[in-house]
Amino acid sequence: MLDWQITAATFRCQEIDDEVTLLVYKDWSVKCTGYQKRNHLLQKENYKHGCSGEDCHLVTEYRDRLKAEESLK
């Protein structure tokens, strides 16, 4: 059982060339501020870059690391 509701960490995302915050919730769902920024830019102008969204290696690696830490408890 997780003893936290949400955790967050900031990383440098090479795909959007900016810092992003990854939010991981108790149910292991994840939100990335970079993905939100990407969607805003795509709607604003024809901005294209390689944001992978929830399939991003930063997202999956961070979530997997948290899961591994929790399994050791």
Side-chain angles (χ1 to χ4, degrees), residues 41-69:
L41 290 172
L42 285 172
Q43 291 173 1
K44 184 176 177 184
E45 54 194 68
N46 281 337
Y47 182 81
K48 295 181 182 178
H49 58 76
C51 181
S52 304
E54 292 183 9
D55 295 327
C56 172
H57 71 92
L58 289 175
V59 170
T60 56
E61 289 171 10
Y62 182 56
R63 181 181 52 216
D64 292 347
R65 186 173 70 206
L66 290 173
K67 284 182 177 181
E69 289 173 6

Side-chain angles (χ1 to χ4, degrees), residues 3-4 8 13-16 23 26 29 32-33 37 39 41 43 47 50-51 54-56 59 70:
D3 56 355
W4 47 270
C13 176
Q14 299 300 321
E15 292 181 0
I16 66 167
L23 305 159
K26 189 174 185 172
S29 61
C32 175
T33 59
K37 178 179 179 180
N39 284 344
L41 290 172
Q43 291 173 1
Y47 182 81
C51 181
E54 292 183 9
D55 295 327
C56 172
V59 170
E70 284 297 321

Side-chain angles (χ1 to χ4, degrees), residues 20-33:
V20 298
T21 300
L22 302 180
L23 305 159
V24 180
Y25 297 88
K26 189 174 185 172
D27 66 355
W28 299 113
S29 61
V30 181
K31 288 188 181 178
C32 175
T33 59

